[in-house]
Every structure is written in C-alpha cells, then in structure tokens.
Amino acid sequence: MATIRTVCAHDCPDMCSLLVQVDDGRITRIEGDPDQPFTAGFACAKVNRDGELVHSPERLKTPLRRAGAKGEGRFEPVSWDAALDEIVARWKAIIAESGPLAILGYAYSAHQGLMNRGLVNGLFHALGTSRLQAGTVCDTCCEEAWNATVGPIGGADPEAVVDSDLVISWGADLMATNVHFWTRLEAVRKRGVKLVVIDPRRSRTARQADWYLPINIGTDAALALGIMHILARDGLCDRAYLAGHTVGFERLEREVLPRFAPARVAEITGLAVADIERLAAMYGQARAPLIRLGEGMTRLAHGGQALRAVALLPGVVGAFAKKGGGALLMTAASCDLDYNVVRKPSGPASTRLVNQLRLGEALLEMKDPPLRALFVAANNPAVTCPDAGKVRRGLMRDDLFTVVHDPFLSTTARYADIVLPAATYLETEDLYRAYGAYYMQYGPRAVAPLGEAWSNLRLAQALAQRMGLTDPVFRQSPSEILAAMFAGDRSGHVATIDPRTVPTAGPINIAPQGGQQFRTPSGKLEFYSETLAKQGIAPMPDWQQDAQEARDAARWPLRLLTAPGYFQPHTAYSGVAFLRQREGAPHCVLHPDDAGKRQLTDGQKVRLFNERGEVGLVLRVSDEVRQGVVLVPGQRPDSEAVSGTINMLCDGRFTDMGEGATYQSTFLDVAAWQG
Ligand SMILES: Nc1nc2c(c(=O)[nH]1)N[C@H]1C(S)=C(S)[C@@H](COP(=O)(O)OP(=O)(O)OC[C@H]3O[C@@H](n4cnc5c(=O)[nH]c(N)nc54)[C@H](O)[C@@H]3O)O[C@H]1N2
Ligand SMILES: Nc1nc2c(c(=O)[nH]1)N[C@H]1C(S)=C(S)[C@@H](COP(=O)(O)OP(=O)(O)OC[C@H]3O[C@@H](n4cnc5c(=O)[nH]c(N)nc54)[C@H](O)[C@@H]3O)O[C@H]1N2
Ligand code: SF4
Ligand SMILES: [Mo]
C-alpha cells in the first residue's frame, strides 16, 4: 500500500491537495490533504469517488477507429501506431492541399494541469492551424469585465475571509462550486459574521445564508448601482479612497447613479425597497466586507456590465484596502509563470480564430479554407457548447476528419473518426496553480495509465514529433518543462521559488501581500474605462433592458436559469455510476404555480422547447426558483436524459464583453412529454 500526495485537476477553483491510497495498482481511497490549509483535510463528494472514475468499466482501453455512421458510436479497436499514422497522414495531406488553417485542434479545461492542458494547444499553435478562442463557454465575459475594472490580477485571498466582517456571495453557489471557501466561511460565521446570498434561485448556499435575496435574473448591475446611489446619498462613501485609488466615480455619480433610486431598482430587481436600503446600509457600515463573485450573473446578454458594477462596490467604501475586504472572482492572474513555453512554443503570432461557443457555425460555415480536421481533448462540445444541435450537424459532416481524446466515449467522441483513450489526472503528473485560491503545487501520478491510455502531454509530444516540429518542449520531460516555465524575469512570489524544489515541496502559498493591486491602464480602479470606451462599450456600468431579451420574453413565458449540478456539474463526472444516481435523471425545476398552470406534476417527463428545438427532461416542482424561470442544473448527456441536452435550446449570441456565452438569455416553454 502507498499513499501519494497529488493535486485534483478538475475544473474547480479550490485545487485540492489529495492523499491517494493505492493498493496493488488500484486507487482504494482519496482524501483531502490535512497539510494544505485550504483543502483542510477533505475532498468534495465527487472527488472522493474519483477512484471509481479512474477504474470505471466505462473507460476507453485502446484507440478506436469509426466502424459505423458518425454519431452512431460503433468503433473497432486499432493500435496506437495505426491511429497516429492515420492522423498524421490526414493532417499532412490537408495542410498540403488547404493549408494549416483547415485544421482546428485544442484541449480545454477538464485537465487543469499547466502542461497537460497547455501543450495540446501548443502543438496546434506551432502548426499554425486555426485557433480556438477558448473559454467563451465559461469565463471570458467575467474575465474581460474584471480586467476592465481591476485589471488582469487576482482578487482577494479567500483565506483572508477570517478578517472579513460581512460576506456577500453574489451569484455563486459556493456549496456546489467552491466548497472549501464555504468551509472557511462557516467557521467565520460561528463568530457572528453574516452571509448574504444574492441569487435568482434558492440554492443550497442560499438556504444556509443569514439573508437570501432572490434577485431577478440579469438585474445585478441595477442592484449594485442602487447600492452606490444609497451610499452616496447617505454619506457612506470613502471619499479619500475614491480620490486616491479610483477613476471616474464622480462622473458615474453625476450621470448614472441618479437613475438608480431605490424605487426603480426595486422594480427592476424584484426586491423590496426596504431590503435594498438594508443591504446598502449593511455594506456601507461594514469594516471589511468581502464579495465573492460568481460567474452565473454574467451568462446573459449584459453580463459584463453586471460583473463590473458589482466588482466596483468595494471601491466605493474603500474595502479593497482592508484585509478580508474587497472582491474575489478569480486568483490565477496573479501567478506569473511563463505559460508561453507550453502554449506558444512557436508558430504565427496570430491566425484565424474560432470562438468556442460558435463551434457549430465554424464547422458548418467557415470558408477559405473550410475546417477539414478537428481535434478535441478535455472538452465535450456536443453537450456543453450552446447551439449543441448545430455542433452535432457540424460533427456529422462526412468530409470532416475528427479526432477526440477522452478517457470515456463522450457524446462528442461518438462523432469521431478516431477516438484516443486519455489518462485521467490521477494517471498523469503536472504542475498546477489554483484559480480560486493562492496555491501552486506539483502533482505526481498516483497510478500508471490504465490500459493503453495516454496523457494529453504524451499525445501532444508524439503528434508534434511525427509532424516534424522541433521545439524543445515537444521532447522535454515534465521537470524540464517546469523549469522553463520559471525561467526569465518573473515577478511576485514566483520569482522567489526555486523550480527544482517544486516537485517535492507540496502546496506552495503564493498569496500576494498588501491590499488589492490594480493593473488597469490608469493603475487605479476604473469606474470609467477608457479601454471599454474605445471598443464602443459603455465605459461606466449601467443597466438597460436588452431589446432582444425583451422580444423573446414576449414570445416565450419562461427564462432559462443554468447552474452546476451538485454531483454532475459538467459531464466530466458522468463516468461514475454512483454520482449519476446521486444526481438523478437530468431534470428541470419549475415553481409550483408554473407547473400548476401547465397541469404538470413532480416526477413527470416534460418537453422544453423554443424556436431552436426541444429536449426531454424529468420535472421537479419546487419553490427553489421563482415564477417565470426554469432551472436546468448541469449539462447532462442525452444518453441519460429523456431526450437531447439543454444546450440545444441555447444560441450562440455573445455577451456585451468577452464574446462569452448567453445561456440565460434563452427563453422557452415547458409542456408534457409526448410519446
Ligand atoms: N466541484 C466543482 N466545482 C466547480 C466546477 C466543477 O465542475 N466541480 N466547475 C467550475 C467551473 S468550470 C465554473 S465556470 C464555476 C461556476 O461556478 P459559479 O461561478 O458559482 O457560477 P454558476 O455556477 O454558473 O452560477 C452560480 C450561481 O449564480 C446564479 N445566477 C444565475 N444567474 C444569475 C443572475 O443573473 N444574478 C445572480 N445574482 N445570480 C445568478 C445561479 O443560480 C447559481 O446559483 O464552478 C467551478 N467549480
Ligand atoms: N447550458 C449550459 N452550458 C454550459 C454551462 C452552463 O452553465 N450551462 N457551463 C459552461 C462551462 S462554465 C464550462 S467550463 C463548460 C464545461 O464543458 P466541458 O469542458 O466540455 O467540460 P466537461 O463536461 O468537464 O467535459 C470535459 C470532457 O473531458 C474529458 N476529460 C476529463 N479529463 C480528461 C483528461 O485528462 N484528458 C482528456 N483528453 N480528456 C479529459 C471528460 O471525460 C469529458 O468528456 O460547459 C459550459 N456549458
Ligand atoms: S472541491 Fe474541487 S478541487 Fe477539491 S476535490 Fe472537489 S473538484 Fe477537486
Ligand atoms: Mo466553467
């Protein structure tokens, strides 16, 4: 028996340090590392089960070649050599005939390791192919909005919550997606610190809060501006802080805030005037209030404005300067490693981009040259991209050569010409840095890759060598690549770390010291952003009714709310039968009044539909959501659902900033399932 200390590589802000017990080559137990302060000795309810993910009978054991129609899922095993020979021959022929732009290849976020995620992208960067504009399905909107406000730098240290005296979870379901911060918070709450949750749905986190505010979807900017209005009205602004560390507040106060008096804000947000007043007073009187920002509020047409308005609040009361105060969206931008070593080893500085959330359109409509080959690792776009029907029509193209690298036969893999078995993170070694806490850690593999599975890193290097690429990173060992990421003129904590010590150091705290820094063009917190003005985007936060949302709302009675499932947040956990059962059949949630109006009852199969199509799910009736909203947790594959997947009803419209996904600008109706 051996116990291996490694790192959880799932797409999750916590980046836990794990103790993995291995008996005879099998993982028999996974626990959180008690020596990593943030992990604090426990792994979440999903990753406790990752032994079952690794040893799942559903794992792919060998490379496969398609033997049936695309999407049918019929394959025959082939050797790695045969699979790689075929891929390289096809790619070389396509490049010779149409040029490298006819190929699109990428790895996305299911393996958070800096090498296993980065080097696949480095391979396609070096080949000069079309490039994925990645993350638009997830965080580019909130990231752009944060950057325009605070700059590309991490927010408050979640461990500093011990010094907070008020915490607002604003559009984040902490118990589902940030459970170690939640535990920290619970400890602080025992001392009387209050937790306020602002969310359109009564999430688990909302139910545990001291005060829950059920806000209308997409109205957060109005609430934040309403709070600023009251703070200014009541003399609760920190004028010295505003003068020294921010730009544009006076103009906002003159031109925008007058329109956000409490009565109007109440009308927009669906909250009572008294509650808005109370929230503003609480916030204005707190010494070090912390706002944990979630991404939920940004997944709609004006998501960027919402995030900006909320992220600016700590500037109004000077909370950014206080330990325990400020705002936390993400932390990763404060870690100054040389990521280009793996992501951009060589290749043209710019090339044609394919927005991840418009993959279907790119596959079907791109010309000069059309996309002729697609490579996907660590992503399941046939389920998790909006307009999933279009993605699948693209994947159905007979003249598209598709390769999917995945530990499982994902929905996307069913459309591939060649499927390659991927090793999971527990079978790979890598360097990690958290995006929701200030830690870096090296994670060795716990067990050898199962069957013939290969890591993303091994595959990227093998393909690069066969394609004739000579960049050193395609031959180096992980420890050599790690050293290269630390080389050069680094800043912050990274500059003080000796890379040779990293593989055995365990968790390394890399929290920046002092108050919140700003890395905007002005070096200050930007209530007014010149950068946005230049892009033709409103430079000061504002709230306006979106015209297209208003038209769709007039046509369809319900609005989609999307949030992670507790046991099945993404499809990455769908290989564990126990977790599928715990989450239950893919479902939607309606308020009792909305269900009653349609004569629908709890547990029955229902049809969700709009102009883009229909999907079939099981109905749950609950006042977790308000009237007019249908919640669909997680993105579940069709194989588990009554029919289809929710992204078939969402379109590829962009957010106001960052060209991100607008799942929640989707309007629809629900009826009984027929047939
Ligand atoms: N354990 C684990 N953790 C994860 C993940 C995982 O797979 N496993 N996935 C990670 C990933 S990739 C991501 S992107 C994050 C996502 O995690 P979060 O940043 O928390 O974002 P969401 O889960 O999309 O939404 C959070 C909440 O926002 C609410 N919300 C929706 N619309 C609005 C709105 O208009 N206003 C307000 N105020 N609230 C709104 C939703 O109801 C939901 O409860 O979680 C990460 N964390
Ligand atoms: N409607 C709607 N759609 C959404 C969202 C939403 O809230 N609502 N959320 C969006 C967000 S925030 C995100 S981040 C995306 C997530 O979407 P995806 O990135 O597609 O995430 P997963 O479902 O985790 O699927 C990743 C795939 O990678 C595979 N995989 C796991 N580990 C490895 C590995 O080490 N190597 C390789 N090669 N493969 C691996 C898994 O088996 C799985 O098939 O979905 C987005 N889609
Ligand atoms: S909480 Fe997040 S980082 Fe920790 S074990 Fe679970 S998925 Fe992994
Ligand atoms: Mo995400």
Side-chain angles (χ1 to χ4, degrees):
M1 191 197 89
T3 300
I4 289 121
R5 174 149 86 170
T6 190
V7 181
C8 175
H10 286 293
D11 187 348
C12 171
D14 299 5
M15 200 193 86
C16 288
S17 179
L18 302 176
L19 299 181
V20 181
Q21 192 177 311
V22 179
D23 293 286
D24 266 344
R26 270 191 90 83
I27 294 172
T28 48
R29 197 182 171 92
I30 297 181
E31 286 173 305
D33 178 357
D35 294 332
Q36 207 279 28
F38 199 58
T39 305
F42 77 97
C44 67
K46 302 182 297 295
V47 169
N48 278 332
R49 295 269 168 176
D50 265 358
E52 288 166 51
L53 186 83
V54 172
H55 302 289
S56 166
E58 297 161 41
R59 283 284 300 274
L60 294 170
K61 308 229 165 32
T62 66
L64 302 171
R65 181 192 279 125
R66 184 162 60 86
K70 291 202 173 192
E72 194 186 323
R74 264 204 302 135
F75 294 92
E76 59 192 22
V78 288
S79 70
W80 266 102
D81 267 334
L84 293 178
D85 283 347
E86 185 169 341
I87 294 167
V88 168
R90 290 293 294 267
W91 286 358
K92 284 185 172 165
I94 289 171
I95 291 171
E97 291 160 20
S98 311
L101 293 185
I103 299 176
L104 173 68
Y106 68 91
Y108 190 50
S109 67
H111 193 311
Q112 288 284 318
L114 294 172
M115 301 179 213
N116 279 288
R117 182 172 177 182
L119 200 62
V120 177
N121 295 319
L123 161 68
F124 293 99
H125 198 280
L127 288 173
T129 64
S130 292
R131 268 176 216 153
L132 190 79
Q133 186 186 345
T136 52
V137 296
C138 172
D139 57 9
T140 53
C141 174
C142 57
E143 210 171 351
E144 284 263 326
W146 173 269
N147 291 352
T149 309
V150 184
I153 188 156
D157 183 350
E159 292 185 88
V161 71
V162 290
D163 295 306
S164 310
D165 63 343
L166 171 69
V167 178
I168 303 181
S169 175
W170 201 315
D173 184 4
L174 302 174
M175 289 179 77
T177 58
N178 196 190
V179 65
H180 292 86
F181 177 64
W182 171 255
T183 321
R184 282 288 159 120
L185 184 54
E186 272 190 311
V188 181
R189 291 175 68 201
K190 290 209 176 91
R191 299 202 316 257
V193 172
K194 297 281 181 266
L195 169 68
V196 179
V197 170
I198 301 172
D199 196 308
R201 80 183 232 269
R202 197 182 298 277
S203 63
R204 283 186 185 214
T205 310
R207 271 177 263 157
Q208 301 280 327
D210 296 288
W211 190 25
Y212 164 54
L213 289 160
I215 192 170
N216 285 335
I217 300 175
T219 62
D220 302 273
L223 179 58
L225 293 167
I227 295 173
M228 290 184 204
H229 177 106
I230 296 168
L231 294 172
R233 183 197 68 195
D234 295 352
L236 289 168
C237 300
D238 184 335
R239 295 286 167 182
Y241 185 85
L242 284 166
H245 302 276
T246 74
V247 288
F249 184 70
E250 278 177 21
R251 191 159 166 195
L252 183 86
E253 207 175 353
R254 229 175 24 246
E255 297 176 21
V256 179
L257 296 189
R259 286 188 276 116
F260 292 91
R264 174 159 183 259
V265 173
E267 214 171 280
I268 297 169
T269 58
L271 302 172
V273 169
D275 285 340
I276 298 164
E277 291 279 358
R278 181 178 160 215
L279 181 63
M282 262 172 106
Y283 192 70
Q285 283 153 15
R287 182 185 42 80
L290 176 67
I291 301 178
R292 174 62 170 89
L293 291 149
E295 304 181 15
M297 75 173 98
T298 66
R299 292 183 177 138
L300 36 82
H302 295 290
Q305 291 295 349
L307 191 112
R308 247 173 79 67
V310 178
L312 283 163
L313 271 173
V316 181
V317 295
F320 275 128
K322 312 225 174 91
K323 209 159 179 246
L328 170 61
L329 174 68
M330 284 183 267
T331 57
S334 288
C335 178
D336 176 43
L337 286 167
D338 186 358
Y339 302 106
N340 287 347
V341 167
V342 285
R343 295 178 194 167
K344 303 178 178 177
S346 61
S350 66
T351 145
R352 185 167 71 172
L353 289 180
V354 173
N355 187 307
Q356 187 173 11
L357 70 88
R358 292 199 181 157
L359 180 63
E361 189 181 296
L363 292 175
L364 290 170
E365 292 164 26
M366 223 163 214
K367 295 198 171 54
D368 302 323
L371 290 173
R372 296 180 58 194
L374 174 70
F375 174 98
V376 177
N379 188 205
N380 192 358
V383 178
T384 54
C385 278
D387 220 342
K390 208 178 227 180
V391 175
R392 291 171 194 208
R393 287 196 297 282
L395 292 171
M396 282 298 285
R397 266 177 50 199
D398 263 328
D399 57 346
L400 179 73
F401 176 65
T402 303
V403 179
V404 174
H405 182 229
D406 201 293
F408 294 90
L409 191 67
S410 66
T411 309
T412 307
R414 299 174 79 86
Y415 293 85
D417 296 280
I418 303 275
V419 183
L420 302 171
T424 66
Y425 72 97
L426 289 163
E427 303 153 85
T428 60
E429 62 180 307
D430 215 318
L431 175 67
Y432 301 87
R433 57 101 188 86
Y435 68 83
Y438 284 107
Y439 284 94
M440 175 191 285
Q441 188 173 341
Y442 200 78
R445 73 184 199 188
V447 289
L450 258 81
E452 295 179 24
W454 282 19
S455 69
N456 299 10
L457 180 88
R458 179 175 179 191
L459 177 59
Q461 290 189 326
L463 285 168
Q465 288 174 25
R466 284 179 190 240
M467 291 300 288
L469 294 172
T470 54
D471 310 274
V473 75
F474 294 124
R475 292 183 184 275
Q476 285 169 330
S477 66
S479 57
E480 289 168 329
I481 301 174
L482 179 143
M485 283 196 275
F486 277 84
D489 208 5
R490 313 256 63 87
S491 67
H493 257 298
V494 169
T496 67
I497 297 170
D498 176 353
R500 285 168 303 185
T501 64
V502 172
T504 51
I508 303 171
N509 188 293
I510 53 170
Q513 304 303 313
Q516 177 71 52
Q517 294 169 21
F518 302 116
R519 231 183 246 165
T520 52
S522 64
K524 296 180 173 184
L525 180 72
E526 298 197 347
F527 285 89
Y528 185 98
S529 163
E530 201 63 61
T531 314
L532 291 179
K534 281 193 196 122
Q535 293 171 38
I537 299 169
M540 291 185 287
D542 206 338
W543 183 88
Q544 263 149 3
Q545 167 89 69
D546 178 67
Q548 190 179 322
E549 285 180 4
R551 276 197 301 278
D552 289 346
R555 187 157 169 220
W556 300 100
L558 299 170
R559 180 172 193 163
L560 178 66
L561 179 61
T562 172
Y566 192 72
F567 294 100
Q568 294 287 322
H570 301 322
T571 66
Y573 305 90
S574 63
V576 183
F578 171 82
L579 294 177
R580 288 197 301 255
Q581 280 149 21
R582 279 304 298 271
E583 184 72 15
H587 62 269
C588 63
V589 183
L590 273 184
H591 187 273
D593 291 354
D594 281 328
K597 249 190 255 170
R598 293 168 176 78
Q599 288 157 350
L600 300 172
T601 51
D602 191 81
Q604 94 176 76
K605 291 177 184 170
V606 290
R607 186 166 80 90
L608 286 72
F609 60 99
N610 64 12
E611 61 271 43
R612 272 174 294 283
E614 66 167 23
V615 306
L617 299 173
V618 171
L619 176 68
R620 288 200 193 152
V621 180
S622 155
D623 65 1
E624 177 179 352
V625 293
R626 300 170 100 184
Q627 283 135 290
V629 170
V630 54
L631 165 69
V632 178
Q635 298 88 245
R636 311 281 301 275
D638 329 22
S639 52
E640 297 167 36
V642 175
S643 170
T645 189
I646 188 61
N647 274 321
M648 291 172 167
L649 304 189
C650 303
D651 73 4
R653 187 180 176 195
F654 290 156
T655 45
D656 52 351
M657 294 174 208
E659 302 194 336
T662 55
Y663 311 107
Q664 301 191 145
S665 295
T666 304
F667 293 81
L668 68 165
D669 203 352
V670 178
W673 179 256
Q674 315 278 346

